[in-house]
């Protein structure tokens, strides 16, 4: 129902909430009850003077009757209904106008569900692919197994020499100490989970936290006179603030590549070409002579006000993600275990061939993302040592201009609701299918 025809519904709902009879409200507004009845059922338009009198009698601002609920509530309900086959999408405005309280509750529940889904995504990915957590669990299980094996020998052996008894007791004591240390370390790590800056995050997390804190843009390295010494100073400054040694190594590698890209494609040249050709990577590659992989990295390093929201994922030949810059509407797991349907991995099978795909992650709302992918060598190869390939996938909000079908993909198999997927590696913990 059009917004302009919802005024009568809002008047009726306000009247019922206030406990006022239709005849009393009509008398206050100077109109007949029958005419007010037509207004309340959206069969008559309402003039400005009458509207002011009705608002006065109902003790509300006139804008509350003409504008109704916030547009954000309507938009949020549309998003919530996008994955439903039973919701009456054409009656959302009517629902909001008649039951604003219930509409707000549905929106709150939808947002809470999305938050819980993101939490499940993070925890599941962490349990599956976190190297520190895997090592800690392995240490705990190993210690428990050793204690059980030793204690079984002591129980099942009736005549055991004192020397061997003492040796087994010492082994149990040592293994119990290992078990205590492993369990304490595991608890500390899990308690640190909500804090991204905690000491017990992985080196990759530390490195990406530094990049995200700078918006993935380093003006010091964009200057024409920038040198590797500037990278060393940036890393040293972060080391003084507690960045671990492995994270320093990872950060240095990323920033040296950033410096190399900035030298090969300086910021003024890139911005000039963007003003002429926009941010289409293939056009920029043709205009500048740079490869698509470098164009992807340079676009992802630009401030959002220059290039718009842009995400980037880079993986090596093993499929491990070595760089990730997220974008709204597209969840990225840590390290490995991402959906095999991503164009990022398909590009590995077609080196140097660019791929374009409109994708939507199943179960994550109706946001469509345009994914552009290409696999390229990370450096020159030789007869003795082939070049190492790396796949790049640029992510940006779908402008809807490219056309073509939208492909449903997942985040990772463990939390993917897609049914009958040929790329599935393991069962999903989600019971519902989409």
């Amino acid at each position: 129902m059009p917004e302009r025809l919802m005024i009568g519904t809002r008047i009726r709902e306000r009247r019922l909430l206030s406990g006022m009879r239709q005849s009393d409200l009509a008398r206050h507004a100077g109109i007949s009850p029958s005419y007010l009845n037509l207004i309340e059922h959206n069969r008559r338009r309402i003039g400005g003077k009458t509207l002011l009198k009705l608002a006065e009698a109902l003790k509300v601002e006139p804008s509350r009757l003409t504008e109704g609920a916030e547009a954000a509530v309507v938009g949020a309900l549309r998003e919530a209904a996008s994955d439903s086959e039973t919701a009456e999408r054409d009656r959302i405005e009517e629902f909001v106008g008649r039951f604003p309280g219930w509409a707000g509750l549905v929106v709150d529940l939808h947002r809470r569900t999305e938050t819980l889904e993101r939490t499940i995504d993070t925890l599941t990915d962490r349990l599956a692919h976190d190297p520190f957590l895997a090592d800690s669990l392995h240490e705990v299980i190993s210690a428990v197994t050793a204690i059980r094996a030793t204690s079984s020998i002591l129980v099942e052996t009736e005549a055991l020499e004192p020397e061997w008894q003492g040796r087994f007791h010492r082994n149990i004591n040592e293994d119990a100490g290992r078990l205590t240390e492993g369990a304490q370390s595991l608890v500390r790590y899990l308690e640190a989970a909500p804090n991204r800056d905690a000491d017990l995050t992985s080196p990759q997390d530390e490195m990406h936290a530094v990049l995200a804190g700078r918006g993935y843009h380093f003006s010091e390295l964009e200057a024409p006179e920038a040198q590797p010494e500037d990278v060393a100073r940036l890393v040293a400054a972060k080391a003084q603030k507690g960045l671990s040694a492995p994270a320093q190594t990872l950060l240095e590698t990323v920033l040296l590549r950033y410096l190399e890209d900035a030298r090969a494609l300086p910021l003024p040249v890139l911005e000039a070409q963007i003003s002429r050709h926009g941010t289409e990577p293939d056009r920029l590659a043709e205009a500048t002579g740079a490869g698509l992989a470098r164009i992807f990295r340079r676009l992802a390093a630009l401030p959002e006000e220059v290039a718009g929201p842009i995400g980037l994922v880079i993986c090596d030949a093993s499929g491990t993600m070595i760089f990730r810059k997220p974008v709204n509407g597209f969840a990225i797991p840590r390290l490995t275990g991402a959906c095999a349907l991503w164009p990022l991995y398909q590009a590995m099978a077609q080196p140097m061939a660019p791929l374009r795909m409109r994708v939507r992650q199943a179960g994550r709302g109706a946001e469509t993302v345009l994914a552009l992918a290409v696999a390229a060598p990370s450096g020159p190869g030789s007869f003795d040592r082939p070049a190492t390939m790396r796949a790049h996938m640029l992510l940006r909000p779908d402008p809807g201009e490219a056309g073509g079908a939208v492909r449903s993909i997942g985040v990772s198999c463990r939390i993917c609701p897609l049914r009958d997927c040929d790329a599935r590696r393991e069962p999903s913990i989600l019971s519902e299918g989409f």
Side-chain angles (χ1 to χ4, degrees), residues 10 12 32 80 95 130 170 271 295 334 343 356 411 418:
R10 298 186 191 110
R12 182 174 182 274
S32 66
F95 174 63
D130 193 313
R170 286 193 299 272
E271 289 181 333
I295 293 293
R334 300 165 61 249
R356 180 192 298 263
V411 178
L418 287 175

Side-chain angles (χ1 to χ4, degrees), residues 147 172-182:
I147 291 173
I172 290 178
N173 182 63
E174 292 174 0
D175 291 333
R178 282 198 305 127
L179 176 60
T180 300
E181 292 179 3

Side-chain angles (χ1 to χ4, degrees), residues 99-432:
F99 309 106
W102 281 105
L105 176 61
V106 172
V107 170
D108 290 342
L109 290 174
H110 173 64
R111 289 171 178 167
R112 187 179 304 175
T113 301
E114 285 191 325
T115 301
L116 292 174
E117 285 180 349
R118 286 193 294 268
T119 302
I120 291 174
D121 290 356
T122 302
L123 293 177
T124 302
D125 181 66
R126 191 174 190 188
L127 287 171
H129 307 297
D130 193 313
F132 185 91
L133 183 58
D135 290 343
S136 298
L137 288 173
H138 176 76
E139 181 68 18
V140 169
I141 294 173
S142 175
V144 170
T145 303
I147 291 173
R148 179 175 178 80
T150 305
S151 61
S152 296
I153 294 175
L154 290 172
V155 171
E156 296 172 0
T157 306
E158 296 181 357
L160 192 62
E161 297 180 2
E163 180 182 353
W164 282 100
Q165 279 187 349
R167 184 176 299 179
F168 285 138
H169 286 154
R170 286 193 299 272
N171 288 345
I172 290 178
N173 182 63
E174 292 174 0
D175 291 333
R178 282 198 305 127
L179 176 60
T180 300
E181 292 179 3
Q184 289 175 346
S185 176
L186 184 60
V187 170
R188 287 196 303 270
Y189 185 60
L190 293 175
E191 288 178 346
N195 182 7
R196 281 190 158 195
D197 299 323
D199 295 335
L200 292 176
T201 53
S202 69
Q204 290 83 0
D205 287 340
E206 291 183 82
M207 181 266 289
H208 282 102
V210 173
L211 299 178
R214 292 291 299 267
Y216 300 85
H217 179 76
F218 293 83
S219 56
E220 306 94 320
L221 305 183
E222 298 286 355
E225 63 275 9
Q227 298 293 328
E229 290 78 9
D230 296 300
V231 171
R233 279 192 288 270
L234 285 169
V235 175
K238 293 300 179 182
Q240 292 178 354
K241 295 183 179 180
L243 191 69
S244 68
Q248 294 176 40
T249 301
L250 294 175
L251 180 62
E252 182 180 24
T253 301
V254 170
L255 293 184
L256 285 174
R257 185 179 60 196
Y258 188 116
L259 177 62
E260 179 184 348
D261 290 340
R263 285 177 171 178
L265 187 54
L267 184 59
V269 175
L270 180 59
E271 289 181 333
Q273 294 301 331
I274 288 177
S275 65
R276 294 179 58 187
H277 303 285
T279 56
E280 288 299 321
D282 51 350
R283 295 182 181 177
L284 293 175
E286 183 179 358
T288 62
L292 278 176
R294 173 160 285 158
I295 293 293
F296 285 3
R297 295 195 297 267
R298 292 299 283 144
L299 288 175
L302 293 179
E304 188 168 323
E305 57 269 19
V306 176
I310 289 180
L312 178 65
V313 183
I314 303 176
C315 77
D316 60 19
S318 72
T320 300
M321 284 176 281
I322 58 177
F323 182 92
R324 59 184 190 275
K325 178 188 177 185
V327 68
N328 287 337
F330 197 94
I332 303 173
R334 300 165 61 249
L335 301 180
T336 57
C339 175
L341 298 178
W342 286 13
L344 176 74
Y345 301 120
Q346 297 181 25
M348 275 294 189
Q350 308 172 56
M352 306 303 295
L355 301 177
R356 180 192 298 263
M357 190 181 299
R358 300 173 68 204
V359 297
R360 180 185 299 136
Q361 288 184 323
R364 302 193 63 85
E367 295 184 56
T368 303
V369 175
L370 182 62
L372 309 174
V374 68
S378 59
S382 66
F383 291 109
D384 298 326
R385 193 155 111 193
T388 302
M389 298 296 294
R390 287 181 178 172
H392 294 61
M393 182 170 69
L394 193 76
L395 302 166
R396 62 200 312 177
D398 180 25
E401 300 171 356
V406 177
R407 183 168 187 178
S408 293
I409 60 176
V411 178
S412 64
C413 286
R414 195 62 177 153
I415 52 175
C416 178
L418 287 175
R419 291 176 174 171
D420 302 324
C421 179
D422 295 335
R424 181 172 294 284
R425 298 184 295 268
E426 58 180 329
S428 173
I429 63 173
L430 302 179
S431 58
E432 285 191 62

